[in-house]
């Protein structure tokens, strides 16, 4: 027991140190590396808290996909011809006000978190009691896909909106064209080797993570992130062309998840108790079907987010 | 028999932890990028292999054991490939700082 506490204290100290480093370091590249390490440490924290579902998501999204996204952003900043013109650096008064505002937010958060007395109110017993009705064994998937399905649906829409936001940064001439990922035609042999060897394994792992999500830690987001990583790897190595963002199949893959979710949700009004309700006899197959569609959409959305806005016109 | 297996587990896991420690010391102490990469990836591959070997007698099903071995193989693949990629990037960045174990580009 004491060994566990020692590990927890060490882990907490490491997370805090990593967070500080990420904020304080001057170099953007070093900050991103720090952020990736921070995400992986945070995943370990979630494992220690027995929240393996969250740990998987944190490692895949917080450490993995966000890390690549930020690395590419730093790379794009370095490639830019002229450095960003921010005007004169902020004066001492501006800095003091910013520091005060940040300190006030931190103090407010500390006050709220430390002020909670007793155990926080929880719906966990209620969720556990009704889990058998969904046919699932993983309570996290039950909450995400059945009890709080509306939140999950909106989350997927937010993901799509984020991608639209990225695409809206594309130059006029490149709209509907191809994003650039990696250095086309100049990928190293090592990268090509890795991109040939890893995806067969990764695709199986991604689908496995989705499938076991019904009964054990895993699910659409984690599986989708693994699949996205495999596609990104293949595109970076030049083994798979980056699709033009105007392609109909790409657009269809992006929206099929939210659309399937919405369709089942609306059907719930007629064949079950209401919007986003499942008929008890078909709850599990319906949830798995939605998850499969969502996984595809998440994988494509994440990969296209990493690929970024289109840079060159491509045949639509 | 089970005592012997336990002792073998402890010895292998302790050996694995030692290699992780050695790799980390190398990462912190070695002078240039390529040596640091060498210390990190080689020692970690061996260390993880020993830890997986030590954990194998303690698993309760063949599937779990196979998963452990698969994790080790994947980490080996990722470690070796990423080490090559980082080494290549480091050499392209700094052609004049050629280390002793590589010909000048």
């Amino acid at each position: 027991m004491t060994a566990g506490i020692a590990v927890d204290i060490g882990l907490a100290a490491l997370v805090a140190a990593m967070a500080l480093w990420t904020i304080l370091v001057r170099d953007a590249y070093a900050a991103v590396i720090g952020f990736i390490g921070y995400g992986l440490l945070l995943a370990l924290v979630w494992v220690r808290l027995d929240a393996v579902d969250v740990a998987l998501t944190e490692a895949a999204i917080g450490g993995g996909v966000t890390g690549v996204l930020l690395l590419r952003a730093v790379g794009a900043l370095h490639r830019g011809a002229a450095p960003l013109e921010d005007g004169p650096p902020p004066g001492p008064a501006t800095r003091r006000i910013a520091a005060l505002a940040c300190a006030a937010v931190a103090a407010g958060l500390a006050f709220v978190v430390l002020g909670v007395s007793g155990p926080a109110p929880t719906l966990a017993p209620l969720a556990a009691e009704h889990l058998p009705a969904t046919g699932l064994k993983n309570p996290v998937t039950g909450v995400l896909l059945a009890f709080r399905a509306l939140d999950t649906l909106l989350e997927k829409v937010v993901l799509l909106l984020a991608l639209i936001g990225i695409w809206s940064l594309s130059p006029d001439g490149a709209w509907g064209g191809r994003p650039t990922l990696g250095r086309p035609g100049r990928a190293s042999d090592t990268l090509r080797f890795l991109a040939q060897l890893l995806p067969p394994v990764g695709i199986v792992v991604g689908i496995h993570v989705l499938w076991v999500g019904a009964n054990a830690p895993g699910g659409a987001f984690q599986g989708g992130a693994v699949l996205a990583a495999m596609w990104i790897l293949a595109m970076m190595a030049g083994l798979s062309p980056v699709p033009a963002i105007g392609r109909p199949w790409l657009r269809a893959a992006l929206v099929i998840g939210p659309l399937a979710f919405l369709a089942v949700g609306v059907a719930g009004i007629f064949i079950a108790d209401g919007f986003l309700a499942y008929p008890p006899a078909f709850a599990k197959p319906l949830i798995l079907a939605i998850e499969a569609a969502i996984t595809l959409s998440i994988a494509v959305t994440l990969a296209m987010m990493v690929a970024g806005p289109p840079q060159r016109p491509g045949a639509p | 028999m089970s005592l012997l297996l336990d002792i073998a587990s402890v010895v292998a896991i302790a050996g694995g932890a030692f290699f992780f420690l050695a790799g980390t010391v190398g990462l912190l102490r070695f002078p240039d990028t390529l040596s640091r990469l060498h210390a990190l990836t080689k020692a970690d591959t061996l260390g993880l292999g020993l830890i997986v070997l030590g954990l194998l007698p303690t698993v309760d099903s063949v599937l779990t054991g196979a998963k452990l071995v698969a994790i080790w193989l994947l980490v080996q693949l990722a470690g070796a490939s990423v080490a090559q990629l980082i080494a290549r990037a480091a050499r392209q960045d700094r052609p004049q700082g050629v280390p002793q174990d590589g010909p000048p580009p």
Side-chain angles (χ1 to χ4, degrees):
Chain A
M1 200 60 206
T2 41
I5 291 175
V7 169
D8 288 349
I9 291 177
L11 206 53
L14 266 177
V15 168
M18 212 63 178
L20 257 176
W21 153 267
T22 307
I23 296 171
L24 292 179
V25 70
R26 308 295 292 181
D27 181 35
Y29 182 72
V32 172
I33 300 294
F35 181 78
I36 296 174
Y38 172 77
L40 295 177
L41 283 172
L42 219 51
L44 287 181
V45 171
W46 286 117
V47 171
R48 287 292 303 164
L49 291 172
D50 259 342
V52 182
D53 288 270
V54 190
L56 281 171
T57 313
E58 177 62 42
I61 306 285
V65 176
T66 316
V68 183
L69 212 59
L70 290 173
L71 278 179
R72 280 179 57 75
V74 172
L77 281 178
H78 281 303
R79 265 198 312 279
L84 289 177
E85 286 296 335
D86 290 337
T94 319
R95 287 188 200 186
R96 279 199 196 107
I97 292 172
L100 267 179
C102 292
V105 170
L109 279 175
F111 177 75
V112 170
V113 171
L114 298 176
V116 175
S117 59
T122 175
L123 293 173
L126 208 58
E129 188 190 327
H130 291 97
L131 191 64
T134 62
L136 303 168
K137 291 201 185 69
N138 180 3
V140 177
T141 305
V143 169
L144 286 180
L145 268 297
F147 306 139
R148 303 293 306 171
L150 186 62
D151 293 357
T152 312
L153 174 60
L154 293 178
E155 206 177 282
K156 304 300 167 265
V157 176
V158 166
L159 207 57
L160 268 184
L161 287 177
L163 181 63
I164 293 171
I166 292 175
W167 280 358
S168 69
L169 296 173
S170 62
D172 275 351
W175 176 247
R178 297 168 184 279
T180 313
L181 194 56
R183 285 172 297 178
R186 288 176 55 203
S188 68
D189 295 340
T190 318
L191 190 58
R192 271 208 297 275
F193 172 72
L194 192 64
Q196 281 167 337
L197 211 55
L198 210 51
V201 184
I203 290 169
V204 172
V205 170
I207 294 174
H208 171 76
V209 167
L210 160 71
W211 178 250
V212 301
N215 296 328
F221 230 106
Q222 298 93 327
V226 173
L227 293 178
M230 294 306 124
W231 195 27
I232 292 168
L233 188 60
M235 288 193 291
M236 274 185 167
L239 296 176
S240 163
V242 185
I245 65 164
R247 287 293 177 86
W249 67 262
L250 184 73
R251 302 271 174 102
L254 287 173
V255 295
I256 188 171
L259 272 187
F261 210 152
L262 260 181
V264 173
V266 171
I269 299 176
F270 304 105
I271 57 173
D273 297 338
F275 182 58
L276 284 173
Y278 307 110
F282 299 104
K284 192 178 176 187
L286 277 177
I287 288 176
L288 277 177
I290 293 176
E291 282 220 289
I294 289 179
T295 305
L296 178 66
S297 286
I298 289 175
V300 176
T301 311
L302 291 178
M304 292 317 286
M305 278 169 117
V306 170
Q311 299 292 343
R312 55 208 156 112
Chain B
M1 189 58 200
S2 89
L3 180 70
L4 275 180
L5 273 182
D6 279 353
I7 292 174
S9 270
V10 170
V11 168
I13 293 175
F18 170 76
F19 275 105
F20 268 99
L21 187 68
T24 310
V25 171
L27 174 72
L28 294 174
R29 303 282 305 180
F30 280 173
D32 58 89
T33 310
L34 294 194
S35 316
R36 283 198 290 269
L37 268 179
H38 176 80
L40 187 67
T41 52
K42 306 291 186 297
D44 281 10
T45 301
L46 188 57
L48 186 64
L50 281 173
I51 288 179
V52 166
L53 199 67
L55 288 177
L56 278 184
T58 68
V59 299
D60 44 11
S61 74
V62 178
L63 186 65
T64 314
K67 278 184 193 168
L68 280 175
V69 174
I71 289 172
W72 177 53
L73 290 175
L74 283 174
V75 169
Q76 246 182 325
L77 175 67
S81 317
V82 171
Q84 292 281 332
L85 290 173
I86 295 179
R88 190 180 296 252
R91 272 178 54 165
Q92 275 169 0
D93 274 1
R94 202 174 303 179
Q96 74 276 18
V98 180
Q100 56 277 26
D101 59 345

